Amino acid sequence: MSYVIRRLLAMIPALIGVVICIFLLTRILPGDPARTLAGEQADAATVEKLRVDMGLDQPMLSQFFGYLGDLLRGDLGFAWHTGHTVTADLATRLPATAELAIVSILIALIVAIPLGVLSAVYRDRAIDHIGRVISLVGASMPLFWLGLLAIYLFYFMLGWAPAPIGRIETGVNPPTTVTGFYLVDSLLSGDMVAFTSSLKSIIWPALVLSTGSIAMISRMTRSAMLEVLGQDYVRTAVSKGLNPGIVVGKHAFRNASPSVVTVVGLEFGQLLGGAVITETIFSWPGVGSYVTQSIMATDYAPVQAFSLLAAVIFLVVNLLVDLTNAAIDPRVRNA
Amino acid sequence: MPKSRTRSTATAAPAGTRSTTVGFGRLLLRNKLGMVGLGVIAFWTLGSIFIGVLSPYGASETAAGALLAPPSLDHLFGTDNFGRDLLTRVFAGGQLSLWTGLIAVGISMAIGVPLGGIAGYAGGALGSVIMRVMDVLLAFPSLVLAMAVAAALGPGTSSAMIAVGIVGIPEFARITYGQTISLKQREFVEAGRALGLSSATILTRHIVPNALAPIVVRATLGMGYAILTAAALSFIGLGAQPPTAEWGVMISDGRGYIISGEWWLTFFPGLAIATSILGFNLLGDALRDVLDPRLRTTA
């Protein structure tokens, strides 16, 4: 318990740092938010009035506390290209991104962990070479290219994928909102048509989004397993005649898992960056495509809000990683 | 007095350094994948330098009669919606992408290495403040931080370079910090201190040169990453702007044509990004194997 509290407390300075960082990005760097908001055509008086309204004429410190107060009230600014507050926009779009990220990381886990374990167990054999090629190529593929290739191949050429236009096919009604996750909501309402359609719509962007994670997780699983498999206690377990499956699955993997959990956490955090690209390509109505639309409209409050959100999620995921590792490995708890 | 001592160590050093460099060079030449990586990088670098001489077309030259022409003998990579030759544009774009990568990695190193070195050598409150700031930067998913910086600077090629450069700073700082912490315990650093060398001299002449191996590896891998991130920024509208011949911009421009089957508009610029990143990754991995053999057994 004390470990949990210590870890939670350690997150506070990082959170403050992240907030300061975003604040500085909006205020210190060149570019005038008042001018941007008013538009290039606006006259000096309008810009000046806007500057006063936005509090930009105040000293930096009071601007910072004003910003902090806004954040604590859940005010992330106004997105003028949608006409809503950024908080409201994010709230309606977050479930779509969360669902995409979760499906994507599940795909990554299902593919990468067995691949990494098999690569380590059968080192330098065919499966290891295949695994290494996959991880090397996966790490070099630009997401936006891979996404477009997938659309061309699986939608245009083969007709397997539905049109890349969002979470559900045209003509199918979305399920009644309970969790905001179409897959879960359609199951809850027993609407199998909606379930199949949302599954067909999510699987392609999720596959594309998972490639980078598959590369990283399988590479880390392989190297962590190789290290553990070389240890004396594994040799002992093998030499006393234990089933190799048990040695690998129970003795070796459990000890390799903290490194794997760490990289899975890191990858989950990075998915939010990838989501911006993937959602844009597949017209997925999540926070990622919202960010791109904001950039196109030169409306930067949502971009900053998203960066803050992504950093907070990243910190929380890291916390969960540490707590999971503490649960797996008592040495972490007592360190 | 200390000065003459420094000079004598400095004159003694190159001989050893050269033989080690030759040794590393030989090891690197024997690394097949590393050589493939180097070959790919050379291909894109030379191609992008000489495309102006080799291609009969200009990068912005339009041909009204050849809009969206598929790859053929006249246009090996096809043409785009303005009838511009894609092969010429892909290679011309290579120049910008490689420069972006170089400058971004240069920014990351120029700021990250001194920060990490100072944090590691000075330690104490200063060191801890520097490294906590780096931790904060690492708390952002990298593309998201690059987006935030580029958005704050306003879209453009130089914004993208700076944004990608800033994102890379913490990695270099962390590597240099770790190296400095372990190197500062070593006898040659203690000897330098005993001789009365200033901290700046010890850091720049004795610690950083000895910490170069992992920094060089990181810089090579970082090039691939910088090219990728800069292209991603252009793709979402924060980096280079149309009609610049830049890989991310070209993919963004060609995006609308993928569902009507004009695959070549996005395929070739994407292939260029993927292969050049692969090249830098292969070369980076090879350098790591050569410079740090301990990692070879597990990685």
Side-chain angles (χ1 to χ4, degrees):
Chain A
M1 196 60 202
S2 71
Y3 176 78
V4 178
I5 295 168
R6 254 189 298 151
R7 221 18 219 87
L8 272 172
L9 288 176
M11 215 173 98
I12 296 172
L15 268 177
I16 296 173
V18 162
V19 172
I20 294 177
C21 192
I22 291 292
F23 173 77
L24 290 180
L25 275 179
T26 56
R27 309 294 150 110
I28 297 272
L29 287 171
D32 181 350
R35 166 60 68 189
T36 314
L37 196 62
E40 289 301 320
Q41 311 297 328
D43 57 70
T46 317
V47 176
E48 195 47 48
K49 186 179 174 307
L50 206 57
R51 189 171 289 132
V52 175
D53 287 349
M54 291 170 83
L56 295 172
D57 59 332
Q58 302 288 316
M60 198 57 89
L61 206 62
S62 68
Q63 280 189 47
F64 177 70
F65 284 112
Y67 176 72
L68 205 59
D70 287 347
L71 283 186
L72 291 174
R73 280 194 301 275
D75 178 2
L76 291 167
F78 191 77
W80 60 265
H81 82 284
T82 63
H84 303 132
T85 61
V86 174
T87 317
D89 280 342
L90 287 180
T92 51
R93 284 167 166 269
L94 204 54
T97 302
E99 190 174 30
L100 181 63
I102 291 169
V103 173
S104 166
I105 205 82
L106 283 177
I107 295 175
L109 290 175
I110 292 169
V111 177
I113 291 184
L115 190 66
V117 170
L118 288 174
S119 283
V121 173
Y122 299 102
R123 189 181 185 183
D124 289 332
R125 308 261 279 278
I127 179 88
D128 185 23
H129 295 310
I130 294 170
R132 291 173 81 175
V133 169
I134 289 177
S135 77
L136 194 64
V137 173
S140 309
M141 282 281 212
L143 266 185
F144 41 98
W145 187 53
L146 199 66
L148 291 169
L149 287 185
I151 291 172
Y152 178 73
L153 191 66
F154 298 112
Y155 166 70
F156 182 79
M157 293 286 284
L158 300 169
W160 295 355
I165 45 158
R167 301 177 75 184
I168 203 157
E169 290 159 288
T170 359
V172 182
N173 287 327
T176 326
T177 308
V178 182
T179 58
F181 290 12
Y182 279 15
L183 289 175
V184 178
D185 289 352
S186 53
L187 280 182
L188 287 178
S189 56
D191 185 349
M192 287 320 282
V193 177
F195 179 77
T196 322
S197 181
S198 16
L199 188 63
K200 269 160 65 183
S201 300
I202 202 169
I203 203 78
W204 301 100
L207 268 173
V208 167
L209 187 53
S210 65
T211 46
S213 310
I214 291 176
M216 288 304 294
I217 298 171
S218 66
R219 199 175 165 141
M220 181 51 85
T221 308
R222 176 181 182 270
S223 72
M225 281 296 287
L226 277 180
E227 211 169 304
V228 175
L229 288 173
Q231 305 269 325
D232 288 342
Y233 72 86
V234 171
R235 211 165 300 134
T236 311
V238 174
S239 59
K240 73 179 186 186
L242 268 185
N243 178 331
I246 293 181
V247 176
V248 171
K250 204 172 157 192
H251 295 231
F253 187 70
R254 172 148 187 183
N255 280 287
S257 52
S259 318
V260 178
V261 170
T262 305
V263 78
V264 170
L266 283 174
E267 282 305 310
F268 193 80
Q270 294 290 351
L271 279 185
L272 278 170
V276 176
I277 306 280
T278 316
E279 289 184 2
T280 306
I281 291 169
F282 287 89
S283 310
W284 193 259
V287 290
S289 56
Y290 173 59
V291 168
T292 326
Q293 285 156 15
S294 310
I295 292 168
M296 294 298 171
T298 58
D299 186 3
Y300 295 138
V303 182
Q304 276 124 18
F306 174 73
S307 316
L308 186 66
L309 178 76
V312 172
I313 292 177
F314 208 25
L315 287 173
V316 172
V317 170
N318 272 330
L319 173 74
L320 293 177
V321 162
D322 285 354
L323 297 184
T324 313
N325 279 342
I328 299 173
D329 186 347
R331 283 169 302 181
V332 175
R333 278 198 294 275
N334 305 323
Chain B
M1 181 66 182
K3 265 194 175 168
S4 67
R5 290 288 182 109
T6 331
R7 210 172 299 136
S8 71
T9 40
T11 44
T17 316
R18 209 175 81 204
S19 67
T20 338
T21 315
V22 171
F24 283 147
R26 278 212 196 102
L27 272 177
L28 190 61
L29 282 174
R30 259 187 267 149
N31 188 312
K32 285 189 198 120
L33 283 176
M35 282 304 104
V36 171
L38 194 63
V40 173
I41 297 167
F43 172 77
W44 285 115
T45 312
L46 295 174
S48 67
I49 293 173
F50 293 112
I51 191 65
V53 188
L54 296 175
S55 167
Y57 308 101
S60 321
E61 189 183 320
T62 55
L67 304 187
L68 295 172
S72 63
L73 282 177
D74 281 341
H75 300 280
L76 289 177
F77 288 2
T79 63
D80 68 6
N81 47 326
F82 293 106
R84 295 175 295 196
D85 180 57
L86 274 173
L87 185 137
T88 314
R89 286 181 70 73
V90 166
F91 278 100
Q95 224 175 66
L96 186 58
S97 288
L98 291 169
W99 270 119
T100 306
L102 267 178
I103 293 174
V105 171
I107 293 174
S108 311
M109 276 176 77
I111 302 176
V113 170
L115 280 180
I118 293 169
Y121 193 73
L126 178 65
S128 143
V129 167
I130 293 176
M131 293 320 287
R132 291 298 79 74
V133 173
M134 296 299 115
D135 285 348
V136 168
L137 289 180
L138 283 172
F140 290 90
S142 46
L143 181 60
V144 175
L145 181 60
M147 274 168 34
V149 177
L153 291 170
T157 310
S158 39
S159 299
M161 288 174 182
I162 298 173
V164 178
I166 290 179
V167 171
I169 293 172
E171 279 291 339
F172 283 99
R174 261 158 65 129
I175 291 169
T176 319
Y177 175 78
Q179 290 285 313
T180 310
I181 292 266
S182 76
L183 285 170
K184 79 174 182 185
Q185 316 291 343
R186 300 270 291 271
E187 290 87 351
F188 68 89
V189 174
E190 273 176 32
R193 252 187 307 231
L195 286 169
L197 297 183
S198 72
S199 298
T201 311
I202 294 178
L203 207 51
T204 51
R205 309 267 312 250
H206 301 278
I207 290 185
V208 171
N210 279 293
L212 269 185
I215 295 174
V216 168
V217 172
R218 181 64 228 167
T220 314
L221 295 169
M223 273 293 290
Y225 170 77
I227 291 173
L228 177 67
T229 314
L233 286 179
S234 303
F235 178 77
I236 56 175
L238 281 172
Q241 300 291 310
T244 316
E246 198 265 359
W247 293 339
V249 172
M250 291 166 77
I251 294 182
S252 176
D253 284 347
R255 181 159 82 91
Y257 295 92
I258 201 90
I259 46 171
S260 48
E262 282 93 6
W263 54 272
W264 55 93
L265 269 75
T266 44
F267 180 77
F268 292 110
L271 189 67
I273 302 177
T275 49
S276 53
I277 297 168
L278 190 66
F280 282 109
N281 283 349
L282 288 174
L283 183 64
D285 283 350
L287 281 171
R288 190 187 49 201
D289 286 355
V290 170
L291 296 171
D292 195 348
R294 278 169 304 159
L295 291 169
R296 212 176 330 176
T297 48
T298 53

